[in-house]
């Protein structure tokens, strides 16, 4: 046995240790946020294990119900949703939960109530389960004023007010990417320890990227600026090399690649979906929060994504996010279009 090697492995920065270190920077902290994050991490580990076993456990296939978005639910969606709702409620630190799978917000009973609102998509990209493509969980955390009865309005806040956001990707490895408002860090699950280890400290997105990511099947319904931008990616007019197209169709996987390699991910509005397709609270906001924390930008076609104020919990929005310079180009095209009108 390699005792020296094993001893070295105990000196790892686990996610628990990282969060506790962050907590010491806030002397007034009572550890509530740390407890909440620990429960989210537990939920991610559980879902990761279920995703890995899905093919064997016959969890794949439709559960027979349709969720609020009109999508047929996979059994794993249902399971993941239950896992996260139970993990978050039992933490005793949450008061409102908004899940992609539930039509209404969940209000935690007073005896278990805390001051945090959690918005989440328990299993994003679940239509990809059957073919082994990466899927993931996306979450965002808000804090609400202590002492008053929570209402849905408490969670309809702009993304810039988020306290923390992250996602967990279940792929060739299980990766959790988290920001608590001071940079972005990536952790990878070590299955032999059952611990998330810091593997990507202080992620910074390249200022400009060589990849664009979009569903080109929707091209005939795009607006002018989106069409122009994609045309420019393929046929640059400045003599530079064209960008590569990479599109997985699972937001967590596409955003993860964009974060690490740079480039731009776009899901624009089109004639079929004039308000865009991605949900504001638990897809657009958390991913935009992470992008900005990593030095990138997120734009809706009209404004900074994190300045949006949702009117309903399942509101949708177009989104363009990624490397700073690439999003700047898209903003310029939209500004030019506005001047014409």
């Amino acid at each position: 046995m390699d005792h020296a090697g094993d001893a070295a492995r105990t000196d790892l920065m686990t996610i628990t240790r990282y969060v506790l270190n962050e907590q010491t920077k806030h002397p007034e902290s009572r550890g509530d946020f740390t407890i909440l994050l620990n429960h989210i991490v537990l939920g991610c580990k559980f879902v990761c294990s279920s995703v890995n076993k899905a093919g064997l456990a016959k969890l794949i296939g439709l559960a027979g119900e349709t969720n609020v978005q009109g999508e047929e639910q996979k059994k794993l969606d249902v399971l993941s949703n239950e896992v996260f709702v139970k993990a978050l409620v039992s933490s005793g630190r949450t008061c409102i939960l908004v899940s992609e799978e539930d039509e209404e917000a969940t209000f935690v009973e007073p005896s278990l109530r805390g001051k945090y609102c959690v918005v989440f998509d328990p299993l994003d990209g679940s239509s990809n389960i059957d073919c082994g493509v990466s899927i993931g969980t996306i979450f965002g955390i808000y804090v609400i004023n202590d002492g008053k009865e929570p209402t849905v309005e408490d969670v309809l806040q702009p993304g810039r007010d988020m306290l923390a956001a992250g996602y967990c990707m279940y792929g060739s490895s299980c990766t959790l990417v988290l920001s608590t408002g001071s940079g972005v860090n990536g952790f990878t699950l070590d299955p032999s320890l059952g611990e998330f280890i810091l593997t990507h400290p202080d992620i910074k997105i390249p200022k400009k990227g060589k990849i664009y990511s979009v569903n080109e099947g929707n091209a005939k319904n795009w607006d002018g600026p989106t069409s122009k931008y994609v045309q420019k990616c393929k046929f640059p007019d400045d003599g530079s090399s064209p960008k590569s197209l990479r599109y997985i169709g699972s937001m967590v996987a596409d955003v993860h690649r964009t974060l690490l390699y740079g480039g731009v991910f776009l899901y624009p509005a089109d004639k079929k979906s004039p308000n865009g397709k991605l949900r504001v609270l638990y897809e657009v906001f958390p991913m935009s929060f992470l992008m900005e924390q990593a030095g990138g930008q997120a734009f809706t076609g009209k404004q900074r994504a994190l300045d949006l104020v949702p009117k309903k919990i399942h509101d949708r929005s177009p989104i363009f996010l990624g490397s700073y310079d690439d999003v700047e180009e898209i903003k310029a095209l939209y500004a030019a279009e506005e001047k014409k009108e």
Side-chain angles (χ1 to χ4, degrees), residues 161-339:
D161 293 346
M162 261 184 184
L163 192 66
Y167 59 80
C168 187
M169 184 173 74
Y170 317 110
S172 52
S173 58
C174 180
T175 310
L176 197 148
V177 174
L178 173 71
S179 174
T180 52
S182 51
V184 181
N185 289 282
F187 302 82
T188 305
L189 184 64
D190 179 337
S192 64
L193 293 173
E195 279 283 8
F196 279 101
I197 310 296
L198 180 64
T199 48
H200 297 73
D202 197 21
I203 297 170
K204 289 280 176 247
I205 185 169
K207 200 156 183 322
K208 195 170 174 57
K210 296 183 176 131
I211 297 171
Y212 72 104
S213 184
V214 65
N215 182 354
E216 290 220 40
N218 295 330
K220 77 177 180 115
N221 294 318
W222 286 344
D223 61 15
T226 300
S227 301
K228 273 183 200 148
Y229 180 73
V230 170
Q231 186 69 1
K232 210 167 152 188
C233 290
K234 296 190 218 181
F235 304 98
D237 43 25
D238 58 2
S240 59
S241 299
K243 289 188 191 296
S244 297
L245 169 65
R246 297 280 182 275
Y247 186 70
I248 299 164
S250 176
M251 190 191 190
V252 171
D254 278 314
V255 170
H256 187 65
R257 183 202 53 248
T258 305
L259 201 56
L260 296 184
Y261 299 166
V264 66
F265 169 81
L266 29 155
Y267 209 119
D270 57 31
K271 291 180 190 131
K272 249 186 356 191
S273 313
N275 296 322
K277 193 89 186 282
L278 298 177
R279 271 71 58 143
V280 173
L281 271 180
Y282 41 80
E283 289 175 328
V284 171
F285 279 171
M287 294 310 201
S288 300
F289 185 91
L290 290 166
M291 271 306 159
E292 287 200 3
Q293 285 292 322
Q297 287 197 80
F299 178 62
T300 66
K302 292 193 173 89
Q303 65 187 119
R304 174 189 175 212
L306 293 179
D307 287 340
L308 265 177
V309 182
K311 293 185 173 61
K312 297 195 185 81
I313 60 173
H314 297 296
D315 270 4
R316 299 173 189 255
S317 167
I319 187 66
F320 305 85
L321 50 79
S323 295
Y324 193 93
D325 290 356
D326 292 324
V327 177
E328 206 56 35
E329 272 184 56
I330 295 170
K331 283 161 83 172
L333 288 167
Y334 272 96
E337 183 86 356
E338 223 171 87
K339 271 189 196 151

Side-chain angles (χ1 to χ4, degrees), residues 57-197:
K58 290 266 193 298
L59 286 169
I60 287 174
L62 301 172
E65 296 170 12
T66 301
N67 74 2
V68 294
Q69 314 301 338
E71 299 163 340
E72 287 185 309
Q73 274 185 318
K74 294 267 176 180
K75 287 181 182 169
L76 262 178
D77 293 20
V78 181
L79 176 75
S80 307
N81 192 42
E82 283 173 9
V83 164
F84 277 101
V85 169
K86 283 180 180 151
L88 292 165
V89 170
S90 66
S91 73
R93 301 298 181 275
T94 57
C95 54
I96 309 172
L97 310 177
V98 172
S99 165
E100 193 245 5
E101 299 294 338
D102 296 327
E103 195 160 349
E104 303 292 334
T106 301
F107 290 91
V108 179
E109 59 177 271
S111 62
L112 286 168
R113 210 172 269 171
K115 61 179 175 180
Y116 296 106
C117 303
V118 183
V119 292
F120 60 100
D121 185 344
L123 205 61
D124 182 72
S126 51
S127 60
N128 283 319
I129 297 165
D130 297 10
C131 58
V133 167
S134 295
I135 50 182
T137 299
I138 309 171
F139 61 89
I141 302 170
Y142 289 104
V143 65
I144 69 156
N145 304 327
D146 263 345
K148 68 179 191 62
E149 196 61 26
T151 64
V152 171
E153 277 62 48
D154 289 320
V155 86
L156 298 175
Q157 301 182 47
R160 62 171 183 267
D161 293 346
M162 261 184 184
L163 192 66
Y167 59 80
C168 187
M169 184 173 74
Y170 317 110
S172 52
S173 58
C174 180
T175 310
L176 197 148
V177 174
L178 173 71
S179 174
T180 52
S182 51
V184 181
N185 289 282
F187 302 82
T188 305
L189 184 64
D190 179 337
S192 64
L193 293 173
E195 279 283 8
F196 279 101
I197 310 296

Side-chain angles (χ1 to χ4, degrees), residues 22-57:
E22 287 297 299
Q23 189 187 315
T24 59
K25 296 176 189 172
H26 304 277
E28 74 290 352
S29 167
R30 297 206 320 264
D32 289 347
F33 185 63
T34 305
I35 291 166
L36 174 61
L37 278 175
N38 274 336
H39 279 252
I40 290 174
V41 166
L42 180 65
C44 291
K45 287 178 187 171
F46 191 99
V47 172
C48 177
S49 161
S50 305
V51 166
N52 290 339
K53 291 189 298 220
L56 301 167

